[in-house]
Amino acid sequence: MNEIIAALKAALVAAGLRAYDTTVPSGTTVQYPYVLLWSSPGRMTSVSLAGQRTALDDTFGATTVGITPEQVRLAAKRARAVMDGLEPGVLAGQHVDEVRLFDSRPIAPDRDFPLVGGSYPMTGVDIYRVSSTPA
């Protein structure tokens, strides 16, 4: 999953979006909007004749963070345009299939991180499906 998340992050950055793996790095000056990519370590499913799990079938999340709901919607739309349908190709010996938007959660305030002035950043979460097989 590390290689897949890195490829997705690079694609988002190339499209002009701020993107981070799981969290904003310590010491970074936060600028809104941005996208956090997060995942499991990678759910391997198919078992080969040798008894090894070789195929990945998993999901990852993209949390878009902004000051307003409108900012989240616009940034999430841009992120979707980059990731939904993306075909990363071969990464670390695995052929990664087309990435597909799987689910989306309502935009909500993140009350764990109050902003100056008493408001809260808004977040929207999209869930994508990703799979890969040995190349």
Side-chain angles (χ1 to χ4, degrees), residues 21-96:
D21 182 350
T22 310
T23 187
V24 175
S26 179
T28 300
T29 300
V30 175
Q31 295 181 3
Y32 297 95
Y34 62 88
V35 178
L36 296 176
L37 297 170
W38 48 272
S39 71
S40 77
R43 185 177 61 142
M44 304 304 285
T45 57
S46 180
V47 178
S48 70
L49 292 176
Q52 297 176 329
R53 295 185 184 273
T54 57
L56 174 81
D57 185 13
D58 209 345
T59 58
F60 69 89
T63 300
T64 304
V65 183
I67 299 295
T68 65
E70 295 81 8
Q71 191 179 48
V72 171
R73 284 187 202 100
L74 289 172
K77 181 179 180 180
R78 289 179 58 205
R80 286 177 178 177
V82 171
M83 293 188 293
D84 191 29
L86 181 69
E87 295 182 24
V90 176
L91 301 170
Q94 292 282 110
H95 178 268
V96 182

Side-chain angles (χ1 to χ4, degrees), residues 32 34 65-68 108-111 113-115 119-123:
Y32 297 95
Y34 62 88
V65 183
I67 299 295
T68 65
D110 184 346
R111 299 198 185 279
F113 299 98
L115 299 172
S119 66
Y120 299 93
M122 304 301 288
T123 63

Side-chain angles (χ1 to χ4, degrees), residues 100-135:
R100 290 316 244 165
L101 182 63
F102 177 74
D103 194 11
S104 189
R105 308 285 163 77
I107 294 171
D110 184 346
R111 299 198 185 279
D112 290 333
F113 299 98
L115 299 172
V116 174
S119 66
Y120 299 93
M122 304 301 288
T123 63
V125 177
D126 283 336
I127 307 294
Y128 292 83
R129 182 175 180 276
V130 64
S131 59
S132 69
T133 53

